[in-house]
Amino acid sequence: MTTILDGKGLADRMRAEIAEETAAFVARSSIRPCLVAVLVGEDPASRIYVRNKEKACEKAGMESRLVRLPASTTTDALLHLVRELNVDSGVHGILVQLPLPDGCDEKRILDAIDPHKDVDAFHPENVGLLSQGRPRYLPCTPAGIRELLIRSNIDTAGKHVVVVGRSDIVGKPMGLILVQKARGADATVTIAHSRTKNLPEITRLGDVVVVAIGRPKFLTADMIKPGAIVIDVGINRLEDGTLCGDVDFESVKETAGAITPVPGGVGPLTITMLLRNTLTSAIAATEQVNSPPEPSNAG
Ligand SMILES: NC(=O)c1ccc[n+]([C@@H]2O[C@H](COP(=O)([O-])OP(=O)(O)OC[C@H]3O[C@@H](n4cnc5c(N)ncnc54)[C@H](OP(=O)(O)O)[C@@H]3O)[C@@H](O)[C@H]2O)c1
């Protein structure tokens, strides 16, 4: 019997836990964790993502602020805004919604965010800390996957995890997290991408296969070994308006040992981990001002 890994259910439970922790923090500090989202331009998908993040923050008892700017906003203007948010002690998390419009220097803007407020964990300092196994924050989507594996009692220690996709947001940090000498990790990791040769031969080696490529129903049943754990990160909108993942769910679920659905799998966990990082940032800013960074959620 294949297990359907219920990311939505787990996200709901975790958001309730985070809301409780937030309430306790607010009670002892009188400070509300605050996430600022910066949305540049009119991309409809980005607008929906940011709205969902705002709603989730408010439900968890956090403050959420939205800065909306026109697509014509310059890199310099964005850098100025980020610097203002960096020094605003009432702000604990800064999220610049990607993609930015053409003409905005995405790297420069992300690099300008104070690493302590970089709750997406994209800043090179946070990537470096993660690669050394002492993360300040874990990047939200791979952190959600790690949490899903741990809480579903899927032990990755000594297992071969094949990650398909090498983006800075999902694939690479997923590999970095799982290869660490840590709880919920200790895996042997292969990262595959569009230049990988004989991909099906490689994915068939995976005890766990994580697919994050943005190609509808790409991973088919013949590409995994029987009993493999399949994590589908993809979110693709088909012509008829329905959503599907990067995994051909209907066929793969017959062969896999466990599989995440789309929607209702990895997606809801990403925002949950953003809330977790924002709370961690607020607590660190107020209660551990002089302490070195603690691994927030890696072990
Ligand atoms: N659930 C969530 O919360 C969440 C969060 C983030 C992203 N997503 C979804 O996850 C998917 C991937 O997102 P992303 O930001 O990581 O995408 P991305 O930046 O476009 O990266 C895609 C990666 O997939 C690789 N790839 C593309 N076609 C391939 C193929 N045929 N065989 C093997 N590898 C291939 C690319 O290889 P190269 O590097 O060689 O080009 C690249 O590394 C998208 O559907 C996105 O919407 C979901």
Side-chain angles (χ1 to χ4, degrees):
M1 257 281 284
T2 307
T3 304
I4 308 297
L5 298 168
D6 178 14
K8 170 81 174 65
L10 174 59
D12 289 345
R13 291 195 297 282
M14 287 181 66
R15 288 184 201 193
E17 290 167 15
I18 293 167
E20 256 183 50
E21 288 175 47
T22 302
F25 170 69
V26 173
R28 64 179 185 266
S29 67
S30 301
I31 290 169
R32 267 180 96 197
C34 171
L35 176 71
V36 178
V38 180
L39 177 61
V40 187
E42 295 295 329
D43 180 55
S46 293
R47 284 220 313 262
I48 294 170
Y49 290 143
V50 166
R51 184 69 203 118
N52 288 341
K53 288 169 188 174
E54 279 188 294
K55 280 200 278 195
C57 264
E58 284 153 18
K59 235 180 140 185
M62 299 184 192
E63 187 184 339
S64 144
R65 286 192 222 159
L66 172 63
V67 183
R68 281 189 75 165
L69 297 166
S72 56
T73 306
T74 62
T75 299
D76 281 347
L78 269 174
L79 287 171
H80 183 74
L81 170 68
V82 165
R83 288 183 193 121
E84 277 182 353
L85 296 172
N86 282 347
V87 295
D88 183 340
S89 61
V91 172
H92 305 104
I94 303 170
L95 177 158
V96 177
Q97 184 64 44
L98 302 179
L100 288 171
D102 290 346
C104 284
D105 189 336
E106 206 164 278
K107 280 244 166 343
R108 265 184 84 199
I109 290 153
L110 296 182
D111 287 1
I113 296 174
D114 177 347
H116 294 88
K117 299 187 180 187
D118 168 41
V119 285
D120 267 332
F122 294 159
H123 191 283
E125 181 178 312
N126 288 325
V127 177
L129 286 169
L130 169 60
S131 86
Q132 291 186 352
R134 47 186 186 128
R136 179 182 284 126
Y137 307 115
L138 293 181
C140 301
T141 300
I145 294 169
R146 171 183 174 274
E147 206 64 46
L148 181 64
L149 292 171
I150 291 175
R151 296 201 192 206
S152 308
N153 295 316
I154 295 168
D155 187 7
T156 52
K159 302 276 171 55
H160 189 169
V161 180
V162 177
V163 181
V164 190
R166 58 174 163 184
S167 72
D168 290 338
I169 295 173
V170 187
K172 269 191 234 165
M174 185 78 260
L176 266 181
I177 289 172
L178 290 175
V179 82
Q180 298 299 326
K181 200 167 185 166
R183 190 174 75 91
D186 278 324
T188 301
V189 176
T190 299
I191 300 186
H193 46 77
S194 70
R195 305 294 299 271
T196 297
K197 293 206 166 69
N198 304 324
L199 184 63
E201 274 176 32
I202 292 169
T203 49
R204 275 196 292 269
L205 296 174
D207 301 304
V208 179
V209 181
V210 180
V211 193
I213 60 174
R215 302 269 181 275
K217 303 184 186 185
F218 178 86
L219 189 94
T220 44
D222 58 311
M223 293 173 77
I224 62 161
K225 69 174 167 188
I229 311 296
V230 177
I231 307 292
D232 189 353
V233 185
I235 303 176
N236 308 290
R237 195 166 289 281
L238 301 177
E239 274 179 10
D240 64 6
T242 55
L243 284 184
C244 80
D246 290 346
V247 173
D248 182 20
F249 183 83
E250 289 308 320
S251 77
V252 172
K253 84 172 191 310
E254 303 301 324
T255 308
I259 184 168
T260 58
V262 177
V266 173
L269 290 164
T270 298
I271 295 186
T272 307
M273 299 317 292
L274 182 71
L275 300 176
R276 164 61 64 202
N277 285 348
T278 304
L279 177 60
T280 299
S281 170
I283 293 173
T286 40
E287 296 181 349
Q288 300 158 19
V289 175
N290 297 314
S291 310
E294 289 289 329
S296 63
N297 34 20

mmCIF file of all heavy atoms in Angstrom, residues 242-280:
data_model
loop_
_atom_site.group_PDB
_atom_site.id
_atom_site.type_symbol
_atom_site.label_atom_id
_atom_site.label_comp_id
_atom_site.label_asym_id
_atom_site.label_seq_id
_atom_site.Cartn_x
_atom_site.Cartn_y
_atom_site.Cartn_z
ATOM 1 N N THR A 242 -5.957 23.155 -14.352
ATOM 2 C CA THR A 242 -5.662 22.345 -13.164
ATOM 3 C C THR A 242 -4.168 22.385 -12.848
ATOM 4 O O THR A 242 -3.332 22.678 -13.729
ATOM 5 C CB THR A 242 -6.091 20.871 -13.360
ATOM 6 O OG1 THR A 242 -5.441 20.395 -14.552
ATOM 7 C CG2 THR A 242 -7.589 20.737 -13.499
ATOM 8 N N LEU A 243 -3.857 22.058 -11.589
ATOM 9 C CA LEU A 243 -2.459 22.026 -11.158
ATOM 10 C C LEU A 243 -1.939 20.606 -11.199
ATOM 11 O O LEU A 243 -2.671 19.657 -10.904
ATOM 12 C CB LEU A 243 -2.352 22.506 -9.698
ATOM 13 C CG LEU A 243 -2.475 23.993 -9.407
ATOM 14 C CD1 LEU A 243 -2.231 24.234 -7.926
ATOM 15 C CD2 LEU A 243 -1.482 24.802 -10.243
ATOM 16 N N CYS A 244 -0.683 20.442 -11.576
ATOM 17 C CA CYS A 244 -0.067 19.120 -11.431
ATOM 18 C C CYS A 244 1.402 19.291 -11.081
ATOM 19 O O CYS A 244 1.976 20.375 -11.224
ATOM 20 C CB CYS A 244 -0.246 18.273 -12.681
ATOM 21 S SG CYS A 244 0.915 18.664 -13.983
ATOM 22 N N GLY A 245 1.986 18.220 -10.596
ATOM 23 C CA GLY A 245 3.379 18.271 -10.185
ATOM 24 C C GLY A 245 4.324 17.857 -11.300
ATOM 25 O O GLY A 245 3.939 17.760 -12.472
ATOM 26 N N ASP A 246 5.566 17.591 -10.922
ATOM 27 C CA ASP A 246 6.581 17.111 -11.867
ATOM 28 C C ASP A 246 6.552 15.584 -11.967
ATOM 29 O O ASP A 246 7.335 14.990 -12.702
ATOM 30 C CB ASP A 246 7.974 17.551 -11.400
ATOM 31 C CG ASP A 246 8.184 19.048 -11.537
ATOM 32 O OD1 ASP A 246 7.383 19.705 -12.226
ATOM 33 O OD2 ASP A 246 9.151 19.571 -10.958
ATOM 34 N N VAL A 247 5.675 14.974 -11.177
ATOM 35 C CA VAL A 247 5.590 13.513 -11.121
ATOM 36 C C VAL A 247 4.254 13.089 -11.728
ATOM 37 O O VAL A 247 3.217 13.717 -11.470
ATOM 38 C CB VAL A 247 5.687 13.039 -9.648
ATOM 39 C CG1 VAL A 247 5.433 11.547 -9.536
ATOM 40 C CG2 VAL A 247 7.052 13.415 -9.059
ATOM 41 N N ASP A 248 4.292 12.034 -12.518
ATOM 42 C CA ASP A 248 3.055 11.469 -13.055
ATOM 43 C C ASP A 248 2.398 10.656 -11.924
ATOM 44 O O ASP A 248 2.581 9.439 -11.815
ATOM 45 C CB ASP A 248 3.390 10.586 -14.267
ATOM 46 C CG ASP A 248 2.134 10.002 -14.890
ATOM 47 O OD1 ASP A 248 1.040 10.559 -14.657
ATOM 48 O OD2 ASP A 248 2.253 8.976 -15.580
ATOM 49 N N PHE A 249 1.653 11.378 -11.091
ATOM 50 C CA PHE A 249 1.157 10.837 -9.821
ATOM 51 C C PHE A 249 0.435 9.502 -10.000
ATOM 52 O O PHE A 249 0.700 8.535 -9.290
ATOM 53 C CB PHE A 249 0.231 11.872 -9.163
ATOM 54 C CG PHE A 249 -0.278 11.473 -7.817
ATOM 55 C CD1 PHE A 249 0.485 11.672 -6.675
ATOM 56 C CD2 PHE A 249 -1.527 10.878 -7.684
ATOM 57 C CE1 PHE A 249 0.016 11.295 -5.424
ATOM 58 C CE2 PHE A 249 -2.002 10.497 -6.435
ATOM 59 C CZ PHE A 249 -1.232 10.709 -5.309
ATOM 60 N N GLU A 250 -0.479 9.444 -10.970
ATOM 61 C CA GLU A 250 -1.331 8.257 -11.099
ATOM 62 C C GLU A 250 -0.509 6.999 -11.359
ATOM 63 O O GLU A 250 -0.779 5.948 -10.789
ATOM 64 C CB GLU A 250 -2.383 8.451 -12.201
ATOM 65 C CG GLU A 250 -3.475 9.451 -11.846
ATOM 66 C CD GLU A 250 -4.146 9.160 -10.493
ATOM 67 O OE1 GLU A 250 -4.373 7.967 -10.204
ATOM 68 O OE2 GLU A 250 -4.426 10.106 -9.739
ATOM 69 N N SER A 251 0.499 7.076 -12.210
ATOM 70 C CA SER A 251 1.291 5.866 -12.487
ATOM 71 C C SER A 251 2.318 5.630 -11.383
ATOM 72 O O SER A 251 2.501 4.508 -10.917
ATOM 73 C CB SER A 251 1.962 5.957 -13.861
ATOM 74 O OG SER A 251 3.096 6.806 -13.823
ATOM 75 N N VAL A 252 2.958 6.687 -10.906
ATOM 76 C CA VAL A 252 4.046 6.504 -9.937
ATOM 77 C C VAL A 252 3.513 5.986 -8.608
ATOM 78 O O VAL A 252 4.170 5.211 -7.915
ATOM 79 C CB VAL A 252 4.848 7.834 -9.759
ATOM 80 C CG1 VAL A 252 5.844 7.727 -8.628
ATOM 81 C CG2 VAL A 252 5.577 8.177 -11.064
ATOM 82 N N LYS A 253 2.300 6.371 -8.254
ATOM 83 C CA LYS A 253 1.783 5.945 -6.951
ATOM 84 C C LYS A 253 1.594 4.418 -6.868
ATOM 85 O O LYS A 253 1.572 3.841 -5.798
ATOM 86 C CB LYS A 253 0.510 6.697 -6.576
ATOM 87 C CG LYS A 253 -0.799 6.200 -7.115
ATOM 88 C CD LYS A 253 -1.913 6.991 -6.422
ATOM 89 C CE LYS A 253 -3.301 6.478 -6.634
ATOM 90 N NZ LYS A 253 -3.763 6.196 -7.973
ATOM 91 N N GLU A 254 1.512 3.760 -8.027
ATOM 92 C CA GLU A 254 1.392 2.295 -8.037
ATOM 93 C C GLU A 254 2.723 1.619 -7.694
ATOM 94 O O GLU A 254 2.751 0.475 -7.248
ATOM 95 C CB GLU A 254 0.918 1.800 -9.416
ATOM 96 C CG GLU A 254 -0.403 2.388 -9.888
ATOM 97 C CD GLU A 254 -1.557 2.086 -8.927
ATOM 98 O OE1 GLU A 254 -1.567 0.988 -8.362
ATOM 99 O OE2 GLU A 254 -2.425 2.968 -8.751
ATOM 100 N N THR A 255 3.824 2.308 -7.899
ATOM 101 C CA THR A 255 5.154 1.711 -7.707
ATOM 102 C C THR A 255 5.842 2.230 -6.445
ATOM 103 O O THR A 255 6.606 1.513 -5.805
ATOM 104 C CB THR A 255 6.047 2.064 -8.941
ATOM 105 O OG1 THR A 255 5.338 1.705 -10.113
ATOM 106 C CG2 THR A 255 7.374 1.340 -8.901
ATOM 107 N N ALA A 256 5.535 3.485 -6.096
ATOM 108 C CA ALA A 256 6.239 4.124 -4.972
ATOM 109 C C ALA A 256 5.791 3.527 -3.638
ATOM 110 O O ALA A 256 4.701 2.970 -3.522
ATOM 111 C CB ALA A 256 5.941 5.623 -4.986
ATOM 112 N N GLY A 257 6.666 3.673 -2.625
ATOM 113 C CA GLY A 257 6.289 3.301 -1.265
ATOM 114 C C GLY A 257 5.494 4.423 -0.610
ATOM 115 O O GLY A 257 4.582 4.185 0.178
ATOM 116 N N ALA A 258 5.861 5.652 -0.954
ATOM 117 C CA ALA A 258 5.153 6.824 -0.441
ATOM 118 C C ALA A 258 5.335 7.943 -1.455
ATOM 119 O O ALA A 258 6.346 7.997 -2.159
ATOM 120 C CB ALA A 258 5.698 7.240 0.918
ATOM 121 N N ILE A 259 4.367 8.849 -1.506
ATOM 122 C CA ILE A 259 4.411 9.902 -2.527
ATOM 123 C C ILE A 259 3.660 11.130 -2.024
ATOM 124 O O ILE A 259 2.672 11.008 -1.292
ATOM 125 C CB ILE A 259 3.808 9.362 -3.860
ATOM 126 C CG1 ILE A 259 3.929 10.391 -4.991
ATOM 127 C CG2 ILE A 259 2.364 8.926 -3.688
ATOM 128 C CD1 ILE A 259 3.607 9.791 -6.379
ATOM 129 N N THR A 260 4.145 12.311 -2.409
ATOM 130 C CA THR A 260 3.417 13.549 -2.071
ATOM 131 C C THR A 260 2.485 13.915 -3.225
ATOM 132 O O THR A 260 2.882 13.830 -4.392
ATOM 133 C CB THR A 260 4.379 14.733 -1.838
ATOM 134 O OG1 THR A 260 5.161 14.940 -3.015
ATOM 135 C CG2 THR A 260 5.277 14.512 -0.642
ATOM 136 N N PRO A 261 1.271 14.344 -2.926
ATOM 137 C CA PRO A 261 0.364 14.807 -3.990
ATOM 138 C C PRO A 261 0.652 16.264 -4.343
ATOM 139 O O PRO A 261 1.336 16.969 -3.609
ATOM 140 C CB PRO A 261 -1.011 14.699 -3.328
ATOM 141 C CG PRO A 261 -0.745 14.924 -1.867
ATOM 142 C CD PRO A 261 0.650 14.412 -1.589
ATOM 143 N N VAL A 262 0.131 16.705 -5.480
ATOM 144 C CA VAL A 262 0.122 18.128 -5.848
ATOM 145 C C VAL A 262 -1.285 18.446 -6.343
ATOM 146 O O VAL A 262 -1.761 17.792 -7.288
ATOM 147 C CB VAL A 262 1.142 18.432 -6.974
ATOM 148 C CG1 VAL A 262 1.049 19.908 -7.380
ATOM 149 C CG2 VAL A 262 2.566 18.105 -6.531
ATOM 150 N N PRO A 263 -1.992 19.367 -5.720
ATOM 151 C CA PRO A 263 -1.587 20.149 -4.541
ATOM 152 C C PRO A 263 -1.741 19.357 -3.242
ATOM 153 O O PRO A 263 -2.220 18.222 -3.278
ATOM 154 C CB PRO A 263 -2.567 21.321 -4.590
ATOM 155 C CG PRO A 263 -3.791 20.789 -5.286
ATOM 156 C CD PRO A 263 -3.315 19.752 -6.258
ATOM 157 N N GLY A 264 -1.302 19.958 -2.160
ATOM 158 C CA GLY A 264 -1.511 19.339 -0.840
ATOM 159 C C GLY A 264 -0.307 18.584 -0.321
ATOM 160 O O GLY A 264 -0.397 17.882 0.694
ATOM 161 N N GLY A 265 0.832 18.680 -1.037
ATOM 162 C CA GLY A 265 2.041 17.991 -0.582
ATOM 163 C C GLY A 265 3.047 18.974 -0.023
ATOM 164 O O GLY A 265 2.901 19.477 1.098
ATOM 165 N N VAL A 266 4.044 19.276 -0.849
ATOM 166 C CA VAL A 266 5.150 20.139 -0.405
ATOM 167 C C VAL A 266 4.719 21.602 -0.264
ATOM 168 O O VAL A 266 5.168 22.312 0.638
ATOM 169 C CB VAL A 266 6.330 20.022 -1.410
ATOM 170 C CG1 VAL A 266 7.426 21.010 -1.086
ATOM 171 C CG2 VAL A 266 6.859 18.590 -1.427
ATOM 172 N N GLY A 267 3.834 22.061 -1.149
ATOM 173 C CA GLY A 267 3.471 23.483 -1.207
ATOM 174 C C GLY A 267 3.135 24.120 0.138
ATOM 175 O O GLY A 267 3.750 25.109 0.529
ATOM 176 N N PRO A 268 2.165 23.564 0.881
ATOM 177 C CA PRO A 268 1.772 24.207 2.139
ATOM 178 C C PRO A 268 2.902 24.237 3.173
ATOM 179 O O PRO A 268 2.887 25.070 4.080
ATOM 180 C CB PRO A 268 0.621 23.323 2.647
ATOM 181 C CG PRO A 268 0.189 22.503 1.487
ATOM 182 C CD PRO A 268 1.337 22.391 0.553
ATOM 183 N N LEU A 269 3.864 23.336 3.048
ATOM 184 C CA LEU A 269 4.958 23.303 4.020
ATOM 185 C C LEU A 269 5.935 24.454 3.810
ATOM 186 O O LEU A 269 6.604 24.903 4.741
ATOM 187 C CB LEU A 269 5.701 21.962 3.925
ATOM 188 C CG LEU A 269 4.862 20.785 4.448
ATOM 189 C CD1 LEU A 269 5.453 19.465 3.976
ATOM 190 C CD2 LEU A 269 4.782 20.825 5.964
ATOM 191 N N THR A 270 6.028 24.945 2.569
ATOM 192 C CA THR A 270 6.975 26.027 2.286
ATOM 193 C C THR A 270 6.618 27.272 3.100
ATOM 194 O O THR A 270 7.473 27.853 3.781
ATOM 195 C CB THR A 270 6.955 26.348 0.772
ATOM 196 O OG1 THR A 270 7.383 25.181 0.070
ATOM 197 C CG2 THR A 270 7.871 27.499 0.428
ATOM 198 N N ILE A 271 5.356 27.673 3.067
ATOM 199 C CA ILE A 271 4.941 28.863 3.832
ATOM 200 C C ILE A 271 5.090 28.595 5.329
ATOM 201 O O ILE A 271 5.479 29.473 6.097
ATOM 202 C CB ILE A 271 3.491 29.271 3.471
ATOM 203 C CG1 ILE A 271 3.428 29.704 2.002
ATOM 204 C CG2 ILE A 271 2.993 30.389 4.381
ATOM 205 C CD1 ILE A 271 2.096 30.263 1.543
ATOM 206 N N THR A 272 4.821 27.361 5.732
ATOM 207 C CA THR A 272 4.958 27.022 7.154
ATOM 208 C C THR A 272 6.383 27.261 7.634
ATOM 209 O O THR A 272 6.613 27.805 8.722
ATOM 210 C CB THR A 272 4.563 25.539 7.361
ATOM 211 O OG1 THR A 272 3.274 25.344 6.786
ATOM 212 C CG2 THR A 272 4.542 25.171 8.825
ATOM 213 N N MET A 273 7.357 26.879 6.821
ATOM 214 C CA MET A 273 8.756 27.057 7.239
ATOM 215 C C MET A 273 9.164 28.530 7.206
ATOM 216 O O MET A 273 10.042 28.958 7.952
ATOM 217 C CB MET A 273 9.693 26.214 6.360
ATOM 218 C CG MET A 273 9.430 24.718 6.420
ATOM 219 S SD MET A 273 9.103 24.017 8.044
ATOM 220 C CE MET A 273 10.667 24.206 8.848
ATOM 221 N N LEU A 274 8.485 29.308 6.366
ATOM 222 C CA LEU A 274 8.715 30.766 6.368
ATOM 223 C C LEU A 274 8.253 31.360 7.701
ATOM 224 O O LEU A 274 8.932 32.219 8.285
ATOM 225 C CB LEU A 274 7.950 31.391 5.199
ATOM 226 C CG LEU A 274 8.103 32.880 5.011
ATOM 227 C CD1 LEU A 274 9.506 33.199 4.496
ATOM 228 C CD2 LEU A 274 7.063 33.395 4.022
ATOM 229 N N LEU A 275 7.128 30.884 8.195
ATOM 230 C CA LEU A 275 6.643 31.342 9.506
ATOM 231 C C LEU A 275 7.638 30.931 10.594
ATOM 232 O O LEU A 275 7.983 31.711 11.479
ATOM 233 C CB LEU A 275 5.272 30.726 9.817
ATOM 234 C CG LEU A 275 4.126 31.030 8.854
ATOM 235 C CD1 LEU A 275 2.867 30.276 9.258
ATOM 236 C CD2 LEU A 275 3.846 32.532 8.808
ATOM 237 N N ARG A 276 8.109 29.698 10.495
ATOM 238 C CA ARG A 276 9.072 29.193 11.487
ATOM 239 C C ARG A 276 10.329 30.073 11.500
ATOM 240 O O ARG A 276 10.810 30.487 12.548
ATOM 241 C CB ARG A 276 9.401 27.728 11.154
ATOM 242 C CG ARG A 276 10.608 27.112 11.785
ATOM 243 C CD ARG A 276 10.555 27.079 13.288
ATOM 244 N NE ARG A 276 9.490 26.240 13.828
ATOM 245 C CZ ARG A 276 8.981 26.391 15.071
ATOM 246 N NH1 ARG A 276 9.443 27.327 15.867
ATOM 247 N NH2 ARG A 276 8.021 25.598 15.508
ATOM 248 N N ASN A 277 10.836 30.393 10.321
ATOM 249 C CA ASN A 277 12.057 31.211 10.249
ATOM 250 C C ASN A 277 11.816 32.623 10.783
ATOM 251 O O ASN A 277 12.681 33.213 11.425
ATOM 252 C CB ASN A 277 12.572 31.270 8.806
ATOM 253 C CG ASN A 277 13.236 29.969 8.372
ATOM 254 O OD1 ASN A 277 13.518 29.095 9.191
ATOM 255 N ND2 ASN A 277 13.480 29.823 7.081
ATOM 256 N N THR A 278 10.626 33.168 10.506
ATOM 257 C CA THR A 278 10.323 34.528 10.988
ATOM 258 C C THR A 278 10.268 34.540 12.522
ATOM 259 O O THR A 278 10.809 35.454 13.165
ATOM 260 C CB THR A 278 8.990 35.015 10.385
ATOM 261 O OG1 THR A 278 9.083 34.938 8.963
ATOM 262 C CG2 THR A 278 8.687 36.450 10.781
ATOM 263 N N LEU A 279 9.665 33.517 13.091
ATOM 264 C CA LEU A 279 9.616 33.431 14.564
ATOM 265 C C LEU A 279 11.024 33.262 15.135
ATOM 266 O O LEU A 279 11.398 33.928 16.097
ATOM 267 C CB LEU A 279 8.702 32.259 14.987
ATOM 268 C CG LEU A 279 8.614 32.005 16.492
ATOM 269 C CD1 LEU A 279 8.072 33.233 17.239
ATOM 270 C CD2 LEU A 279 7.731 30.785 16.791
ATOM 271 N N THR A 280 11.813 32.392 14.507
ATOM 272 C CA THR A 280 13.201 32.187 14.953
ATOM 273 C C THR A 280 13.970 33.510 14.927
ATOM 274 O O THR A 280 14.708 33.829 15.856
ATOM 275 C CB THR A 280 13.905 31.165 14.033
ATOM 276 O OG1 THR A 280 13.197 29.936 14.118
ATOM 277 C CG2 THR A 280 15.358 30.941 14.430
#
